[in-house]
Amino acid sequence: MKLKKQNLVGGFNRYRLVITLGLAVLLPAAALIYVNFNQLRMFERDKVLEAMIHRDFQGALAIDEKTMSQKTYSKVEDARDMFPSPDESAVAKERKLDNVLAQCSCFEHAFLFDEHGLILQTQPGQIDDKFVRDEHEYMADSYNTWFGSKDGKMEVESINKRPHHIIFSGGHAKRSDGPGYLLTAFFVLPDVSTDRVVIGGVTFDPCYLKSNFFPEMLAQFANEKTTDQGGNHIAMIIYPVDVPEGREIRPLSASDGWGDGKPEVMRKLDSFPGLAMGIKYQGVSVEALGAQWMHRSFLLLGILSLLAIGGLVLTKHMVSKEMAVARLKSDFVSNVSHELRTPLALIRLYAETLELGRITTREKKHQYYRIIRKESERLTALINNILDFSRIEAGHKEYEFRETDIADLVRNTLDSYRYQIEQQGFALEESIDSDLPAVRVDREAIARALVNLVNNALKYSQDEKYLGVKLYRDNGSVKLEVADHGIGIARRDQTKIFEKFYRAGDPLVHNTKGSGLGLSLVRHITEAHGGEIEVESTPGTGSKFIMSLPLVAAPPQVSNSNAVH
Ligand code: ADP
């Protein structure tokens, strides 16, 4: 009945533990993992990361274009400030235009068109170049015709509508070192009435753009961005947009590490008509980077999930263990009370009987005295165990190691039990090696360990009453064996019996009185001596406990943390 109730309580607690762990930990953890997993899948499906990087790239290109166009605007504005007025003489105009070219070698040509016609000046050092001369002639010809027609008026109007009153026009340039980009800025002069067709302009030197301006700008932009992009190196390019379908992009200028291939994101440049700027990561595509990131995130999520599951299992394990200890403790209290009550009742009963003087024969009296002594010895052993246990638990247990003739100690301890052993019908087989060297031990503790082992052998034997005690030297240690032919210990219990309060589930054990403390003390005592305790046992055949104590120097004093497990 009592057992049933305990099982019910135990079952209920376990049920509560499973519910608590399930609801409070497992469910939220599983939900979190599930949500994260789904989110990652969604990221993967919608290519969210790639889209984010592309958006970033777009933003960066817009800013870079602005920086670049501001530079060109300011160069053109500086030149415009030096421009002659349409009302000056032709010589003065030429001189001033030459001065513009002299001030900034970035310009190839400077020109002014007004009612008197077009004056077009070219960098004097370059006019001998065939390509430059052809270009000069072509410009002179076409601008004169173009601005002189009614288109000139329209051109002035559209220039006036543009920011800074400047219009850029792009085209191809031929040079001896290959094709280039020809950028011409058309503007109106600030102090000239908008009714007049007066158009000034400068053309950038294609070699300057290709070899200086664009490379410098691209290098600067790529460097700035590399730190923003988590250490991934950026490469940038400027190229003509009118690439025929299916043809490879031919860079006009590219930053270091561009390699080849297409940009991830491109932007047509308004202030450099006909050109586009592109951006990508060096050596890795955004798609590969996204896949890499996904892979890493899934892996991380997997590891975190495993850790969460591991943590949960560990928590369940620990809580179950604590619950088992709590259960064992409550068993212990009732076991100990039982153990105390029985010898006390017996002592009282026999003492009262003796006191009443009803026992007449000497032999009977002797038997009663013996029972009283035996029961009080049992009481003492139990109380000693409990006291030792509580000292160890509180970390106050101290051992006193002294050089000891261990054979003598074992023999003496057995002597005081010999009578009891034989009385109970046990065949005692002793094999004590007398040639053992002195060992440094705590005598009382070792005697107590031996008494516990012997008591267990007596308690847990049924039909075959045999007790074997052996002491011998084995290499660097002394071994003390206590064997019986008793009920034995199931394999699964063999490691647990050394835990505090643990008693095997065998009904034969539960019919025997005990507190579950004896073996945990034996283990503590052995370990405090730097030794170890083992058990060999077969259920139904018997058990053998082997305690090995090292022969080397005395072990250190046991620290407070060395509580009984
Ligand atoms: P107690 O004997 O007070 O229950 P112990 O710590 O001495 O506590 O022993 C723990 C358990 O180990 C016992 O309850 C019993 O199940 C098992 N045990 C110990 N010694 C023996 C033995 N010699 N034979 C069979 N079982 C044993």
Side-chain angles (χ1 to χ4, degrees), residues 335 339 382 385 452-461 482-484 486-490 493 496-506 508-510 512-522 535 537 542-545:
N335 283 339
E339 272 225 75
L382 176 65
N385 270 0
N452 267 303
L453 292 176
V454 168
N455 264 334
N456 280 350
L458 302 186
K459 275 199 301 189
Y460 301 113
S461 290
V482 177
D484 61 55
I487 61 170
I489 304 160
D493 286 330
K496 296 186 188 155
I497 51 173
F498 295 100
E499 289 169 15
K500 60 187 174 187
F501 310 130
Y502 190 84
R503 306 198 73 214
D506 193 327
L508 289 173
V509 172
H510 280 274
T512 315
K513 291 182 203 81
S515 57
L517 287 186
L519 286 183
S520 71
L521 283 180
V522 172
V535 63
S537 180
S543 314
K544 189 201 276 179
F545 286 86

Side-chain angles (χ1 to χ4, degrees), residues 163-232:
H164 309 262
H165 303 290
I166 298 173
I167 280 188
F168 285 100
S169 152
H172 296 286
K174 276 190 198 151
R175 288 294 183 273
S176 47
D177 62 349
Y181 175 68
L182 201 69
L183 178 70
T184 307
F186 300 95
F187 47 76
V188 290
L189 298 177
D191 303 326
V192 177
S193 154
T194 49
D195 297 336
R196 293 174 65 181
V197 180
V198 174
I199 299 171
V202 278
T203 301
F204 283 86
D205 175 2
C207 295
Y208 162 76
L209 290 180
K210 189 171 153 182
S211 313
N212 298 74
F213 184 72
F214 289 144
E216 273 167 27
M217 292 270 81
L218 291 184
Q220 179 193 328
F221 297 153
N223 273 345
E224 279 168 4
K225 268 176 257 330
T226 293
T227 40
D228 296 348
Q229 301 289 332
N232 280 312

Side-chain angles (χ1 to χ4, degrees), residues 261-431:
K262 288 204 308 205
E264 290 284 351
V265 171
M266 63 83 89
R267 181 183 174 90
K268 286 187 178 168
L269 303 173
D270 284 343
S271 36
F272 300 87
L275 289 187
M277 182 154 58
I279 186 167
K280 69 172 184 179
Y281 285 124
Q282 281 182 30
V284 58
S285 70
V286 169
E287 198 178 358
L289 218 67
Q292 229 175 54
W293 185 82
M294 281 328 294
H295 185 249
R296 240 181 284 146
S297 303
F298 275 122
L299 198 76
L300 201 72
L301 188 65
I303 293 173
L304 286 179
S305 310
L306 282 182
L307 282 179
I309 293 169
L312 209 71
V313 171
L314 207 73
T315 315
K316 156 108 181 25
H317 186 73
M318 288 196 24
V319 175
S320 302
K321 210 167 162 186
E322 283 306 312
M323 277 165 59
V325 171
R327 213 167 33 246
L328 288 173
K329 260 186 190 161
S330 75
D331 288 357
F332 163 77
V333 173
S334 67
N335 283 339
V336 166
S337 326
H338 226 70
E339 272 225 75
L340 288 174
R341 241 198 353 237
T342 323
L344 280 176
L346 281 175
I347 290 169
R348 214 169 104 192
L349 176 74
Y350 286 98
E352 276 174 8
T353 319
L354 285 169
E355 204 179 26
L356 288 173
R358 287 201 192 135
I359 309 299
T360 45
T361 63
R362 247 173 75 87
E363 206 178 301
K364 201 82 180 158
K365 274 190 191 164
H366 212 76
Q367 189 194 353
Y368 279 27
Y369 288 137
R370 216 171 39 239
I371 291 171
I372 291 175
R373 184 178 54 81
K374 208 184 87 185
E375 290 305 314
S376 52
E377 266 171 14
R378 242 177 71 185
L379 267 181
T380 316
L382 176 65
I383 289 166
N384 277 342
N385 270 0
I386 296 172
L387 282 179
D388 254 12
F389 171 75
S390 71
R391 266 187 224 121
I392 290 169
E393 281 285 273
H396 294 150
K397 175 72 187 163
E398 285 186 359
Y399 291 93
E400 210 180 295
F401 297 102
R402 266 188 281 157
E403 293 276 324
T404 305
D405 179 346
I406 187 141
D408 225 34
L409 175 69
V410 170
R411 227 176 273 121
N412 287 339
T413 313
L414 280 181
D415 278 348
S416 45
Y417 273 79
R418 196 178 304 276
Y419 184 73
Q420 185 190 334
I421 294 166
E422 280 162 7
Q423 271 292 304
Q424 289 189 30
F426 275 81
L428 171 62
E429 193 179 305
E430 277 174 77
S431 160

Side-chain angles (χ1 to χ4, degrees), residues 5-16 323 327:
K5 193 176 164 195
Q6 261 186 5
N7 277 347
L8 263 179
V9 172
F12 180 63
N13 276 345
R14 204 164 308 128
Y15 178 70
R16 256 207 336 220
M323 277 165 59
R327 213 167 33 246

